[in-house]
Amino acid sequence: MKKILPFFSYLFHPVFIPLIGTLFYIVLDESYFSFSQLVVLLLQIVIITLFLPVAFFFLLRTFGKIDNIMLSDISQRKIPLLLQTMLFSVLVTKSITLDRFPELHYFFLAGIISSVIAFLLLFIKTKSSIHLIGSSALTVFVIGLSYHNEVNIINTIVFMMVMNGFIASSRLEMKAHTHKELLIGFLVGALPQIGLLYLWL
């Protein structure tokens, strides 16, 4: 089992969370979008939240600013978190706007809040698990979508909760975080999502 656990850190890496959340939104939301609208939406998400961060990762690694994709050192987290905040800000102001995709808009808006909190915590030498920030935010968002659209996906929600446990165990097994850092990450991801739920439920 110990050999399998690190796999969850890569499978549910934070860079994939925006795309996974968007796919859940498309599947569970009652809004009807044309095929072309869905293609444009997914392309925007893939380019801005996946391709650009990966490109910046290789750029930062080339200049020696980061060692690996897990960002284990506190000092290496500031630039990626700032980048994520800026990219999410572009999404919520230019494409994933409140009038077009309200639920998804609040998902990314809460993501901005989580990123800013995680960034500010670095200045008091506190590291939060970005993996748990992403997985807990995604879990709350999917629960909100289920309630909002009156769709029974209890099995999916239970699965996601279990995955939070596996991800946390994975980070412990890889000695990337302490229990405290995992708890902080979970709360930093979940609480902003919970706080904004009342705006779109």
Side-chain angles (χ1 to χ4, degrees):
M1 188 63 181
K2 289 185 177 181
K3 294 182 178 180
I4 299 176
L5 281 175
F7 169 74
F8 292 96
S9 286
Y10 294 96
L11 181 63
F12 292 97
H13 191 277
V15 76
F16 299 125
I17 298 300
L19 178 59
I20 297 173
T22 302
L23 291 173
F24 270 112
Y25 171 71
I26 291 172
V27 172
L28 298 178
D29 195 75
E30 292 183 335
S31 302
Y32 293 98
F33 304 109
S34 67
F35 178 75
S36 60
Q37 286 177 311
L38 294 179
V39 169
V40 170
L41 173 62
L42 288 174
L43 280 176
Q44 290 173 335
I45 297 298
V46 169
I47 292 172
I48 294 177
T49 69
L50 187 58
F51 287 170
L52 285 180
V54 170
F56 271 99
F57 162 75
F58 284 109
L59 181 64
L60 291 171
R61 189 171 184 180
T62 300
F63 285 99
K65 297 297 183 181
I66 57 177
D67 295 329
N68 58 68
I69 198 169
M70 293 302 174
L71 303 175
S72 55
D73 190 86
I74 286 181
S75 63
Q76 297 179 1
R77 292 174 162 237
K78 291 180 180 179
I79 295 177
L81 283 170
L82 279 177
L83 174 65
Q84 177 169 287
T85 301
M86 290 187 292
L87 292 176
F88 281 13
S89 297
V90 170
L91 281 175
V92 299
T93 57
K94 301 298 182 181
S95 56
I96 314 297
T97 54
L98 183 59
D99 59 317
R100 297 177 65 192
F101 309 101
E103 299 88 350
L104 200 58
H105 174 85
Y106 285 117
F107 173 60
F108 282 102
L109 184 59
I112 293 173
I113 297 172
S114 295
S115 299
V116 170
I117 294 173
F119 175 76
L120 293 176
L121 286 173
L122 297 177
F123 290 94
I124 57 173
K125 305 299 181 182
T126 301
K127 186 170 70 169
S128 55
S129 171
I130 300 176
H131 279 76
L132 264 293
I133 290 175
S135 63
S136 63
L138 178 63
T139 302
V140 174
F141 179 60
V142 172
I143 292 173
L145 285 175
S146 173
Y147 180 81
H148 179 65
N149 296 306
E150 298 181 352
V151 179
N152 185 0
I153 52 168
I154 187 64
N155 291 335
T156 301
I157 292 172
V158 170
F159 171 79
M160 294 181 68
M161 290 180 174
V162 171
M163 285 302 101
N164 276 272
F166 275 113
I167 295 167
S169 298
S170 172
R171 305 308 288 152
L172 289 173
E173 177 63 27
M174 297 175 73
K175 295 179 170 54
H177 290 289
T178 63
H179 288 85
K180 178 183 176 181
E181 291 167 350
L182 293 172
L183 177 60
I184 292 173
F186 185 89
L187 294 176
V188 170
L191 292 181
Q193 295 288 338
I194 294 172
L196 295 184
L197 277 180
Y198 78 97
L199 295 176
W200 59 273
L201 284 183

